[in-house]
Structures are given as structure tokens and as C-alpha cells.
Amino acid sequence: MTQFTDLGLAKPLLKALADEGYTTPTPIQAQAIPGVMTGRDLLGIAQTGTGKTAAFALPILHRLGEDKKHAPRRSARVLVLAPTRELATQIGESFKSYGKHMGVTVAVVFGGVKYGGQMRAMAGGVDVLVATPGRLLDHLGEKSITLDGVEILVLDEADQMLDMGFIVPIRKIVRYLPKAPRQNLFFSATMPSEIEKLSGEILNPNPLKVSVTPQATTVDRVNQRVLFVEQSRKRALLGELFDDAGFKRVIVFTRTKRGADRVARGLEQSGVDAVSIHGDKSQGQRERALAEFKAGKVRALVATDIAARGIDIDAVSHVVQYELPNVPESYVHRIGRTARAGADGSAVAFCADDERNLLKDIEKVTRQRIPSFDRRNDKHLGAATAAMPDVGGKPERADTRGSQPHRGQHAPKRNRNHSGGGGGGGGGSRHEGAPARSAGDKPAFKGPSRGGDRGRGGGSRSGAGGGGSSAPRPTGVWSNR
Ligand code: AMP
């Protein structure tokens, strides 16, 4: 198997990788790094969680080190565009940590904070500038940043840029770039036609194309469960899940900002330390919440999709979808928060009666039937842990299962009794700019994945469910959809 030491990366980079404890490149890294090191353009179909940041950061840093020079004032040699401030910050941190033995200079620029610090950071020129499009355009208009020195452009999460209305700003930014030959790296999780068009405009002819199918691998790697539950009992059910000490570091997704605040409050009231992040929170609040969650000071991070996308937090034990997303692809992004870089994870989705259609859409896009429990008629909400996703088999593929009933699932291991909590909760009403995709956009998972694309630990997909155990179905728990 290829090792980082086989790729010809400069010594300071190998040292930084060793510091991180990384020895083996992920598939996208193994495929992208050698070509990008030679200066080729790249079209990468990949999402966060595949190791794609290092797939571009390492060869870029290698190239900078081979041709050391100072960027012009107020400019950068590398420009990375990212859709959200959180992702921009993470990318900036990755460049710093991989480049720490090279003395690389990095600036991160995003909206919602004052301009002064960003202007000071850029004044003398930096090696790498990571920016969100809107704020960068403001700086370009004010001439507090110029793109005269840019030799390498990275566009990350292009499809999310499209969702967030950033395509026009990106085209404007590209017009500020120098005409001199430039290396371009373009990443997107999906390839809707507008993104394909944009990639054609930005990339030089014949880019290296690398495609990993993380949605499929993520879907395969995560133990998933759907719990059918009345809307009014979601709050109690959530509290009950947290009775399980295994729910150590949990991201809870809501559809709305108000819903996120309400769920976080409800958890606090039931004694679970929780914080919320969403688009109405200030940058400082968002950073503090993330830091507390990362440090393990709180067990639950309650988030809306926009705020959580691209967030990379290690060792998230569970993802709970308090409400199903309107956009099926978001389901995949959400569960991907718990299966970082090849790790397995567990995901629980609550589904109220009026969310059944959303569930159908999700199962269509991911081509799987998610094992489910019906919690609507439970007198007590006890036995929630019977529904824990870490005890059963993996979801079955819709395309391999036909009309068979659920097979290969184990009986719940634990059946503790809890006294049920009160009702309340319920979904909020205000929407936070959920990505609006047209029905014509490509689904996140298309067809069987290819063996070579799988993340570490991914075995071959095996038709009807894992294990093949014929454990009895506990009556009244399994759904009979
Ligand atoms: P990304 O897809 O860039 O968001 O990376 C996902 C996570 O994988 C990050 O926490 C990285 O630090 C981690 N990672 C990246 N490359 C490797 C590697 N070769 N081995 C192990 N972990 C990695």
C-alpha cells in the first residue's frame, strides 16, 4: 500500500504528517498528490471526510517550498475559496499544521468580523490566503487585498457554493486573478450542470480527474436507525438517548435556528450540557460553542445544516437528526459528521408522521432502506437504548434487497427501562437557508461504488444486510413499513 513516504513530498511535510500520526494516504490523497505536485490542474469529486484538504494542501505546500519567494504586498501565492467561515478556518489550520516546519504564512478572511485584523494580516503578503467569497470581494473592491500574486487557485465545496448563491461572486473573483498561467484545483461533492460549467471555465484543459464516492462509503460505514416518533415526543426521546453514556459527543441536527436553540435548552433542562450553533449566532459564539464541544466540555452540539456543514470534529460518537432535512443530500452530509476519515459512526434519525415523505426521498437518493423502530405507541419511552444504532446491522441496499422484509439485523442488546419524560419540543418554523436544490440535481449516491474508491476500513458491499443473523423481531418495536 502506498505510504506518504512514497509520494516524494518534501521532508518538512513528511515530518508534519508524522507529527499528526498519518502514514497512509487516503484514496483521494494517493490519487491527487503526485499529479498536483507536478503542477497539473485537478477536478476532484469528493466531500469533506475523505481527507481532501490534505490532498490539496500537501502538494501545494510542496510546490511553494520548491520555489520559495515572497508574495506581493496585500496578496497571496495561493488562494483557497471556501463556502463557510468554519470550513475556511479549518482549511487555514490544516495549511498551518502541515506547513509548520516550513514557516508557511497563512491568512484566513471571512465575513461577520472586523476588516482591520484581516487587512493587517494581509499587509505584507502571505503564502496562503483562505477566504469566503463575499468578504474577499469586499476586500478586492477596497483594494485591501489584491490577487496579483496568485499562482494556485483552489475552489473547495463548489456545489455548496452554488447552494449558497456564491457562483456569481466566484466568477467576479476569477476576473481579478492574473492572466499568467495558474494551477487550479476544483473540488465538489456533486456535479450539477452549473458546477460542471464553472469547472470548465476555471480549469485548464485536461485536468487530472479524481473521484471518490464518500457519500456511498459514508452511508455504508455509518450504523443508521430511524425512530418513528410523534413530533410531541421527540424531546423526551432525545433526553432518553442521552441516558446512554455511549452518547458521548453528539451532534443534533435541527431544521431551524429556533429549533436548534429550543432543543439545546431542552437538553440543558434534562441535565445534558449542550450548545447550539446556527447562522444567527455571532462568529465568537460559534467559535466558542465549537471549541467547547471539541474539548468535550459539552456532550451535545445542536446545529442547523448551514452551520454544521464541513465541520470536522474527531470522535463524534453519534449524529441525531431531530428533524429530517428537506434536501435528501443533507442527510448524507449530516451522518458524515460521525464517520470522519474512515472511522465508523452511528446515526439516529427521528421521523414524525409528516416527515415520512422526506424519509422516502432520502432512501431513494442513498439507495438504502434504513432500519427503523416505531416508537409512537410506546407507553413509556423506555427501551430507547434498544433502538441504539450500534447494536444492529447496517442498512440494506434497496437495489439488492427487493421486497424482502428486513433481514440480518440483531435483536436489541439492551432493554433498559426509563420513565418517560414529558412531551413538548417540536420543530421550529423559521428556516435557515436550507440549500435549495432542484429536483434535477444529481443524487449524492449514484449506483454501486467502486472498490478502489472506498475509504479505509470499507469492505465490499454485501447485498442484504450484515451478519445474516435471523434474530427475532421484538414485536411492537420494528416498523412494518
Ligand atoms: P477532510 O476530508 O480534509 O475534511 O479530512 C477529514 C479528516 O481526516 C481530518 O480530520 C484530517 O485531519 C484527517 N485525515 C486526513 N488525511 C488523513 C490520513 N492520511 N490519515 C488519517 N487521517 C487523515
Side-chain angles (χ1 to χ4, degrees):
M1 193 192 281
T2 311
Q3 301 291 298
F4 277 118
T5 43
D6 303 329
L7 298 178
L9 287 165
K11 283 220 172 74
L13 295 171
L14 293 177
K15 192 154 180 265
L17 284 166
D19 295 346
E20 296 286 325
Y22 300 161
T23 51
T24 314
T26 64
I28 191 168
Q29 291 163 359
Q31 291 171 66
I33 289 172
V36 176
M37 275 169 69
T38 65
R40 267 187 88 175
D41 275 18
L42 174 79
L43 177 61
I45 313 293
Q47 67 167 51
T48 51
T50 55
K52 83 178 147 69
T53 314
F56 63 79
L58 291 168
I60 285 175
L61 287 166
H62 179 87
R63 298 203 71 211
L64 293 182
E66 274 190 328
D67 174 26
K68 284 204 175 109
K69 59 181 174 205
H70 206 284
R73 284 171 46 73
R74 285 176 283 119
S75 196
R77 297 184 66 191
V78 179
L79 171 63
V80 183
L81 293 175
T84 63
R85 15 189 185 181
E86 280 80 9
L87 187 58
T89 304
Q90 264 169 217
I91 294 170
E93 279 166 9
S94 294
F95 268 101
K96 278 185 208 153
S97 88
Y98 297 133
K100 70 181 176 194
H101 300 301
M102 293 176 55
V104 69
T105 50
V106 181
V108 181
V109 156
F110 47 70
V113 291
K114 293 195 174 130
Y115 286 75
Q118 299 179 348
M119 286 157 78
R120 279 193 294 281
M122 288 300 296
V126 293
D127 293 316
V128 181
L129 166 62
V130 189
T132 54
R135 174 56 67 96
L136 178 60
L137 263 185
D138 291 346
H139 278 290
L140 293 173
E142 293 295 318
K143 299 199 167 42
S144 42
I145 293 179
T146 87
L147 300 185
D148 296 349
V150 173
E151 302 159 41
I152 304 175
L153 170 70
V154 181
L155 191 72
D156 200 12
E157 306 249 329
D159 54 351
Q160 196 189 350
M161 301 269 204
L162 172 69
D163 289 340
M164 295 174 74
F166 282 149
I167 297 302
V168 171
I170 286 169
R171 288 208 167 92
K172 284 189 187 153
I173 289 168
V174 169
R175 286 202 284 274
Y176 280 92
L177 289 164
K179 293 281 167 282
R182 191 181 68 228
Q183 184 179 17
N184 307 285
L185 313 177
F186 190 106
F187 291 89
S188 193
T190 56
M191 269 286 155
S193 55
E194 255 185 279
I195 290 302
E196 204 161 351
K197 189 157 163 264
L198 183 71
S199 72
E201 291 164 22
I202 289 180
L203 293 166
N204 291 309
N206 294 322
L208 175 65
K209 289 190 182 141
V210 174
S211 170
V212 294
T213 51
Q215 289 98 336
T217 48
T218 303
V219 165
D220 278 353
R221 281 204 315 265
V222 177
N223 283 305
Q224 300 161 64
R225 287 290 181 277
V226 171
L227 304 185
F228 292 113
V229 57
E230 283 160 22
Q231 187 65 43
S232 61
R233 301 196 353 144
K234 282 186 176 179
R235 178 175 166 177
L237 183 57
L238 184 66
E240 200 183 329
L241 294 183
F242 275 91
D243 286 347
D244 187 316
F247 273 62
K248 273 200 203 90
R249 187 174 292 185
V250 183
I251 302 183
V252 182
F253 282 97
T254 62
R255 270 206 296 268
T256 68
K257 303 171 197 174
R258 278 209 324 244
D261 285 336
R262 191 165 33 225
V263 169
R265 262 198 316 275
L267 282 171
E268 287 279 348
Q269 280 160 10
S270 46
V272 176
D273 289 331
V275 286
S276 64
I277 57 167
H278 52 66
D280 278 355
K281 299 265 181 183
S282 70
Q283 181 62 18
Q285 287 171 321
R286 285 159 77 156
E287 276 170 11
R288 261 195 311 281
L290 275 180
E292 281 178 5
F293 184 63
K294 278 187 184 175
K297 288 188 185 144
V298 295
R299 273 170 85 194
L301 177 73
V302 188
T304 55
D305 285 303
I306 290 290
R309 207 157 155 168
I311 285 178
D312 175 31
I313 297 170
D314 286 340
V316 171
S317 63
H318 294 79
V319 164
V320 177
Q321 312 208 23
Y322 194 83
E323 289 142 340
L324 290 179
N326 289 326
V327 183
E329 283 87 347
S330 293
Y331 175 87
V332 180
H333 288 296
R334 287 173 170 194
I335 67 171
R337 301 303 108 213
T338 179
R340 313 297 296 161
D344 285 345
S346 296
V348 186
F350 291 176
C351 180
D353 276 344
D354 60 359
E355 294 175 294
R356 293 241 177 183
N357 282 339
L358 299 175
L359 179 62
K360 261 196 210 134
D361 289 346
I362 288 164
E363 293 190 330
K364 212 154 84 193
V365 161
T366 57
R367 295 203 184 182
Q368 61 172 353
R369 179 72 82 79
I370 308 168
S372 55
F373 293 81
D374 197 336
R375 303 299 310 275
R376 287 167 309 164
N377 299 320
D378 294 1
K379 285 280 179 299
H380 309 286
L381 278 174
T385 48
M388 288 304 98
D390 50 350
V391 296
K394 305 237 169 159
E396 300 175 32
R397 288 281 159 204
D399 52 353
T400 54
R401 193 177 57 163
S403 57
Q404 292 291 310
H406 286 127
R407 285 183 13 221
Q409 289 157 350
H410 304 284
K413 225 172 1 196
R414 286 162 294 177
N415 200 347
R416 297 189 320 189
N417 274 318
H418 299 273
S419 55
S429 53
R430 203 147 53 92
H431 263 237
E432 173 170 82
R437 275 172 187 277
S438 67
D441 284 349
K442 293 193 181 166
F445 170 68
K446 298 214 90 182
S449 71
R450 282 150 292 162
D453 289 339
R454 310 183 68 82
R456 273 154 295 132
S460 66
R461 181 177 300 141
S462 64
S469 142
S470 53
R473 292 182 193 187
T475 39
V477 179
W478 294 99
S479 97
N480 51 359
R481 283 186 287 161

